[in-house]
Amino acid sequence: PSRRLWLVATAALALLMAWGWPAAALAAVVPFGPEVAPETPSLATVGGWAAELAIVWWLWWLARRRTRPALLALMPLAIIFAYLDGRDLPARQPTAPLADEGLRPPAAFLKSVADCRLPERACPPVPARFLSLSDITFDVGDAPELAPIFAATLSSRARFDLTVALKQQEIVGPNLPLAYGLYAADGFDGGLLPLAAYQRLASALLPSGEAAPDGRLRERLAAVPPARWLDLLAVGHVITDKTGDVWRRGVYFDRQFSAVALPDAPLAVDVVPDLPANALWLLTAGPVGVIELALSDGRSMALTPAPIEDGLSAVTWPGVSTVAAITVTTATAAWPIEALSLVNTEAGTFQSLVPAAWRLVQSGDVKVYERLSPPARVAWLGAWEWADTADEALDRLADPGFDLSTTAVLTGNERGRYPDVPWDGRTGEARLMAFDPTTVVVRTDGSASGVLLLKEAAYPGWQAFIDGQPASIATADVVYRAVFVPAGDHEVVFQFRPISVVVGLVVSLASWLGLGIGLLVAEWRARGRGL
């Protein structure tokens, strides 16, 4: 190459090397990701880079003079440099087998649900998805026990990698759902495909102006998204850490499910533990409503919270009794409730509550919540409307007045055949009969024609059949598959038959056929020459 091109390449490499210093500084303010700790290049690293550049420049100088040894040395030196430069990559750092073979409690619980190994549970063909919310800055609870075990066998870097791996196992992070046979909702393997359509849908769950370019919602969500988006994503479990929870006056508050009581929409606590208590403490901006209580001893009361300190209020009642029901009401304005906890001031006990249709099923290093009524992966919808673009469909889905449970927003080429239909009370049922990576079977039974919504990515290559006859697939709710089904009982089959498989098969057969013909010709020629 010319001297100018070589100088440009050298300058580009030098800038790339120098990036290590500002990158480490920016990591303090820009979310680069917690999996790899940012480090500035060491003097040894800088010296190695300088030596590499000097050697390459020397060889280039020799090569310009057509020195054969210099040309022969370029390739082995390039291999050696690549080996040396890759020694610090995470994949090259050995650590304990526990980093790869471990199964932490949250994943074990989700696998038990997916494999239907828990008692008194229905066994659907495919379970609901889960969503993780954590930037993995929490502490690993068994770290003090693991430290002396690996102190003599693992370096500090290897112990750091082990800790990161254990945290990823706790929150069932990227690449693990597929290994565990679980279904994630954040666009990684085992869940929805991180396509462009999914990126648009994911952006609706994030604060305005933010995006998830890699399909990862885990580090960007500060709280559990609203129920409408969880329904749309078919989320049945949520995994969160405890870094956002707080203790106030010796009482623990779970702040993962903040909620708002409205004048026309009281806030109910759907799962109340059997804890004898005489008070309910609230983290709230201010008492603007009433707490309605139903006690197990038959008493009912409506109490106004009294402030304890800034942001903390409480209602108390005479005597200690278990609580059967809790409802938060307001008549004048929206009342945000950050967290609630039942408290027994006499015994010094407490229990945090979840003010939503969820229950806490596991609590350790992280928490696992389960929806009381998990959404189905398929739905029969009696109404639909069309959108010209995916962005227009997303705007419609984000409208609080839009009913996701009755209406689908469709995009595709079927608009002329199936115009908008408002919901008029028609009902139907969709039952998932079989599910595997290439085939999905659904039974539908509707009082009128409707839309079968399958909450799986609308990816090219999928084909649909209604009672054995081909049917067109429309894109529903930005990212999913939908098929129009007539009234009555029908079997709908989705099969993955991409044209690329057929093309690949034809090319492979042609290659084998060509190879066979070539061998026969070679054999015929060899015999003709008497070989």
Side-chain angles (χ1 to χ4, degrees), residues 10 22 84 96 109 177-178 193 214 309 317 339 344 356 384 411 415 444:
T10 303
L84 295 176
F109 172 80
L178 187 62
L193 295 176
D214 57 357
E309 59 185 31
W317 53 91
N344 185 333
W384 58 89
T411 55
R415 184 166 189 166
T444 64

Side-chain angles (χ1 to χ4, degrees), residues 122-149:
C123 296
V126 58
R129 298 185 175 96
F130 75 91
L131 178 65
S132 288
L133 310 177
S134 175
D135 58 4
I136 67 171
T137 56
F138 61 90
D139 295 326
V140 179
D142 52 354
E145 289 77 19
L146 295 175
I149 296 176

Side-chain angles (χ1 to χ4, degrees), residues 8 75 79 145 190 239 248 293 310 320 337 382 473:
V8 171
M75 182 56 70
I79 296 175
E145 289 77 19
I239 303 175
R248 298 289 293 272
L293 298 171
D310 185 29
V320 174
I337 304 296
I473 298 179

Side-chain angles (χ1 to χ4, degrees), residues 108-119:
F109 172 80
L110 292 178
K111 281 182 62 66
S112 297
V113 173
D115 298 340
C116 206
R117 289 187 279 109
L118 296 177

Side-chain angles (χ1 to χ4, degrees), residues 38-104:
E39 296 180 3
T40 56
S42 64
L43 292 178
T45 301
V46 175
W49 290 342
E52 288 182 5
L53 284 177
I55 293 173
V56 170
W57 264 96
W58 176 65
L59 290 175
W60 176 82
W61 180 79
L62 293 177
R64 292 275 291 179
R65 285 154 179 76
R66 302 294 189 268
T67 305
R68 185 177 298 275
L71 295 174
L72 295 176
L74 281 175
M75 182 56 70
L77 277 175
I79 296 175
I80 293 172
F81 289 161
Y83 172 79
L84 295 176
D85 291 341
R87 287 184 305 168
D88 200 45
L89 295 176
R92 296 281 301 277
Q93 303 302 315
T95 187
L98 186 63
D100 180 61
E101 301 172 357
L103 185 64
R104 307 290 284 188

Side-chain angles (χ1 to χ4, degrees), residues 198-496:
Y198 171 80
Q199 307 293 9
R200 292 190 181 95
L201 182 62
S203 66
L205 281 69
L206 300 175
S208 178
E210 291 192 16
D214 57 357
R216 280 163 59 164
L217 293 170
R218 173 172 59 85
E219 304 100 325
R220 294 173 171 86
L221 289 174
V224 177
R228 63 184 295 105
W229 297 117
L230 297 178
D231 289 340
L232 189 61
L233 292 172
V235 172
H237 292 89
V238 168
I239 303 175
T240 74
D241 57 38
K242 300 180 178 180
T243 57
D245 299 340
V246 297
W247 289 80
R248 298 289 293 272
R249 292 204 170 189
V251 174
Y252 174 77
F253 288 91
D254 185 338
R255 299 199 308 170
Q256 200 58 62
F257 285 88
S258 299
V260 178
L262 301 173
D264 58 347
L267 177 63
V269 178
D270 295 306
V271 177
V272 182
D274 294 331
L275 175 74
N278 61 351
L280 176 68
W281 288 21
L282 306 88
L283 289 182
T284 178
V288 295
V290 173
I291 305 295
E292 297 180 357
L293 298 171
L295 304 182
S296 58
D297 58 14
R299 290 181 292 168
S300 297
M301 56 191 70
L303 304 172
T304 301
I308 299 177
E309 59 185 31
D310 185 29
L312 179 62
S313 303
V315 296
T316 59
W317 53 91
V320 174
S321 177
T322 57
V323 180
I326 300 174
T327 305
V328 181
T329 64
T330 178
T332 57
W335 187 14
I337 304 296
E338 191 174 348
L340 306 99
S341 289
L342 278 175
V343 180
N344 185 333
T345 58
E346 297 181 3
T349 56
F350 55 85
Q351 176 67 57
S352 60
L353 304 177
V354 179
W358 296 80
R359 62 180 173 184
L360 182 66
V361 293
Q362 193 173 86
S363 180
D365 290 346
V366 299
K367 299 172 292 186
V368 180
Y369 302 93
E370 183 177 59
R371 297 189 77 174
L372 300 180
S373 299
R377 299 286 283 272
V378 296
W380 186 97
L381 303 178
W384 58 89
E385 56 185 67
W386 290 88
D388 293 328
T389 64
D391 290 335
E392 182 181 330
L394 185 59
D395 291 339
R396 192 72 181 101
L397 295 173
D399 184 356
F402 183 80
D403 191 352
L404 293 170
S405 65
T406 61
T407 309
V409 180
L410 307 175
T411 55
N413 300 323
E414 302 294 307
R415 184 166 189 166
R417 297 177 54 195
Y418 302 94
D420 294 1
V421 171
W423 189 60
D424 57 3
R426 64 183 70 187
T427 59
E429 182 183 7
R431 302 184 305 278
L432 190 60
M433 309 302 295
F435 185 97
D436 65 48
T438 60
T439 304
V440 180
V441 181
V442 183
R443 298 291 303 188
T444 64
D445 187 4
S447 58
S449 60
V451 167
L452 169 61
L453 174 64
L454 175 63
K455 295 181 180 180
E456 295 294 322
Y459 192 78
W462 282 96
Q463 300 179 20
F465 304 87
I466 300 177
D467 299 329
Q469 300 300 314
S472 298
I473 298 179
T475 300
D477 297 345
V478 179
V479 71
Y480 294 135
R481 299 172 224 155
V483 172
F484 290 96
V485 291
D489 188 8
H490 302 280
E491 181 182 74
V492 183
V493 178
F494 295 87
Q495 289 187 325
F496 189 57

